[in-house]
C-alpha cells in the first residue's frame, strides 16, 4: 500500500498519527534567562499540536548555562526547568500530538558565554571568542551533563529525545576534522564523544523510547567533509544506538561559494534519501519542504519516513490541517475548527 503524509507511523514506543514533524527552531524567548519555558513556548508548541502536527520537537535545550547559543535559550541543566516543559508535554498530548525535545550544547557557538568551549581552541569566525579546548576529563564530564539533561527530559514526559549533532554545535565540533584537532582519545576517534553521549542518553531513556540524532550530512565550508564522511559518522552513531536520523547539513562555518547548498525546494532531500538507503535507518527529511504536495511525495516515493516543516509551520500553526485539505486526506481537524476547513 502506498504511504502518504497522513499514514500513521510507528517506531518502538513512538506512535504518530501522521508523518508531519515540527523541527526544533530556537525562539530565543526565555526572557528571564533562566532556561525555563514560559507562556510563549507553551502557546507556540501547543498551537502546533492543535494544528494537527504528528511530532513536535521542542527547540534546542542546553545541558549547561554556557552551552546556550544565547542566554534566551531553553535549558535542561536544572530540575527547576522540568515542570514548565512537562506542562507543554501534557497539553500537546491532550491534542493528539507526540512531542520530543532537542538536547544540545552550542560549544564554540555559545555567543553569550564568557569563554565558550569546544573540541579545540578554534573560534567560529573572526568575530567570535576563542573557545577553551576541553581537557579529556572535562569531555567526560560533558558526557555526564548530556546524560543528566536527557534524564530531565524523560522526567518531563517527552516521547522521544533528539541529540543535536549538526549545525556546528558541540557534538558536530567533535566529529568534524575541521574543528577537532585534539591529540587525545577524542581526537584519535572523532565520533567517540558523540557515541558516548548516545550511550549515556540511552542509559536513562526507557528501553522502547527512540533516540533521534540530528546530523549535518555534509559541510559547506572550504575543505569541509562531504556526504561519504557524513555516512561514516552516521553509521558510527547508528551502531552506538541512535534510532532515527534527522538529516540536515552545514552550519559549521562560512559557506564556500563553490561548495554551498542550493536554495531550491528539497535541496537536502538527496542527503536524507542516501542515508536512509545506505544505513537502512528511519530518517526525517528537512529543508524547504513546505508545499503539501511535495512533502506528500517525499513519503510516497519512500525517500524519507517523516517530513519536517519548519518555516511553513512558523507561518502557519495549522499547516498540517491545511495540507489535509490540499491532499484530500483526513487531518483530524478539531470539531471547533471544522467550519474553517471545508471538505
Amino acid at each position: 500500500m502506498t504511504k502518504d503524509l497522513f499514514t500513521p507511523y510507528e517506531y518502538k514506543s513512538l506512535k504518530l498519527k501522521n508523518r508531519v514533524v515540527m523541527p526544533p527552531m530556537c525562539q530565543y524567548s526565555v526572557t528571564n534567562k533562566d532556561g525555563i519555558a514560559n507562556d510563549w513556548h507553551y502557546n507556540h508548541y501547543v498551537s502546533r499540536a492543535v494544528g494537527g502536527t504528528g511530532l513536535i520537537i521542542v527547540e534546542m535545550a542546553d545541558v549547561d548555562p554556557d552551552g546556550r547559543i544565547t542566554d534566551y535559550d531553553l535549558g535542561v541543566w536544572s530540575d527547576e526547568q522540568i515542570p514548565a516543559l512537562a506542562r507543554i508535554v501534557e497539553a500537546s498530548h491532550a491534542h493528539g500530538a507526540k512531542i520530543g525535545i532537542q538536547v544540545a550544547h552550542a560549544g564554540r557557538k555559545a555567543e553569550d558565554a564568557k569563554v565558550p568551549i569546544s573540541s579545540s581552541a578554534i573560534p567560529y569566525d573572526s568575530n567570535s571568542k576563542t573557545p577553551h579546548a576541553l581537557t579529556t576529563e572535562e569531555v567526560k564530564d560533558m558526557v555526564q551533563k548530556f546524560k543528566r539533561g536527557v534524564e530531565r527530559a524523560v522526567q518531563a514526559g517527552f516521547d522521544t529525545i533528539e541529540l543535536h549533532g549538526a549545525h556546528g554545535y558541540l557534538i558536530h565540533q567533535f566529529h568534524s576534522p575541521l574543528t577537532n584537532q585534539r591529540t587525545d582519545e577524542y581526537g584519535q576517534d572523532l565520533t567517540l564523544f558523540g557515541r558516548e553521549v548516545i550511550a549515556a542518553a540511552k542509559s536513562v531513556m526507557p528501553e522502547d523510547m527512540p533516540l533521534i540524532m540530528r546530523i549535518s550530512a555534509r559541510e559547506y565550508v572550504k575543505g569541509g567533509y562531504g556526504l561519504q564522511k557524513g555516512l561514516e559518522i552516521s553509521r558510527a552513531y547508528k551502531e552506538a544506538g541512535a534510532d532515527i536520523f534527522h538529516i540536515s547539513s552545514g552550519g559549521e562555518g562560512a559557506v564556500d561559494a563553490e561548495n554551498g547548498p542550493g536554495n531550491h525546494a528539497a535541496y537536502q532531500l538527496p542527503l536524507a534519501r542516501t542515508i536512509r538507503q545506505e544505513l537502512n535507518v528511519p530518517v526525517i527529511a528537512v529543508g524547504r519542504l513546505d508545499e503539501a504536495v511535495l512533502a506528500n511525495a517525499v513519503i510516497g516515493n519512500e525517500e524519507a519516513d517523516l517530513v519536517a516543516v519548519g518555516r511553513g509551520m512558523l507561518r502557519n500553526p495549522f499547516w498540517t490541517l491545511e495540507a489535509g485539505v490540499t491532499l484530500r486526506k483526513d487531518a483530524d481537524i478539531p470539531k471547533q475548527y471544522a467550519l474553517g476547513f471545508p471538505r
Side-chain angles (χ1 to χ4, degrees), residues 71-251:
D71 287 348
Y72 295 96
D73 290 356
L74 290 180
V76 283
W77 68 78
S78 168
D79 288 352
E80 295 178 357
Q81 293 154 349
I82 297 174
L85 293 173
R87 178 172 173 251
I88 294 172
V89 170
E90 183 178 5
S92 297
H93 285 166
H95 294 291
K98 300 299 183 181
I99 184 165
I101 188 169
Q102 186 183 73
V103 176
H105 191 294
R108 69 176 186 168
K109 295 179 78 172
E111 298 173 9
D112 290 338
K114 185 175 181 180
V115 180
I117 60 95
S118 186
S119 52
S120 300
I122 304 170
Y124 176 68
D125 58 27
S126 60
N127 297 317
S128 301
K129 302 167 188 173
T130 299
H132 162 67
L134 294 171
T135 66
T136 303
E137 287 306 311
E138 287 171 337
V139 176
K140 295 183 183 300
D141 182 59
M142 184 59 66
V143 172
Q144 295 306 306
K145 289 183 179 182
F146 270 90
K147 178 180 179 179
R148 292 190 290 272
V150 170
E151 190 169 26
R152 292 185 182 99
V154 171
Q155 290 174 15
F158 286 99
D159 302 293
T160 184
I161 306 295
E162 177 171 288
L163 295 176
H164 203 342
H167 301 167
Y169 298 121
L170 188 61
I171 293 175
H172 186 167
Q173 289 163 34
F174 269 86
H175 69 229
S176 173
L178 288 177
T179 46
N180 187 340
Q181 298 182 8
R182 304 174 66 90
T183 57
D184 67 353
E185 59 190 300
Y186 293 100
Q188 295 164 7
D189 182 347
L190 300 191
T191 64
L192 178 59
F193 175 64
R195 296 194 334 261
E196 289 185 345
V197 170
I198 289 169
K202 298 283 278 193
S203 74
V204 293
M205 293 168 60
E207 187 175 352
D208 62 348
M209 178 187 287
L211 177 66
I212 303 170
M213 189 71 176
R214 194 166 207 192
I215 186 83
S216 282
R218 59 166 298 185
E219 296 179 326
Y220 295 121
V221 299
K222 188 174 183 179
Y225 67 74
L227 179 55
Q228 288 306 308
K229 182 66 175 179
L231 278 166
E232 292 177 17
I233 294 166
S234 299
R235 184 173 290 108
Y237 291 156
K238 175 190 175 183
E239 293 173 355
D243 296 296
I244 300 171
F245 284 80
H246 193 168
I247 309 302
S248 190
S249 60

Side-chain angles (χ1 to χ4, degrees), residues 14-15 92 127 140 181 194 205 279 310 313 315 319 333:
L14 186 65
K15 298 180 180 180
S92 297
N127 297 317
K140 295 183 183 300
Q181 298 182 8
M205 293 168 60
L279 271 61
M313 210 168 284
R315 293 191 299 270
W319 185 94
I333 297 169

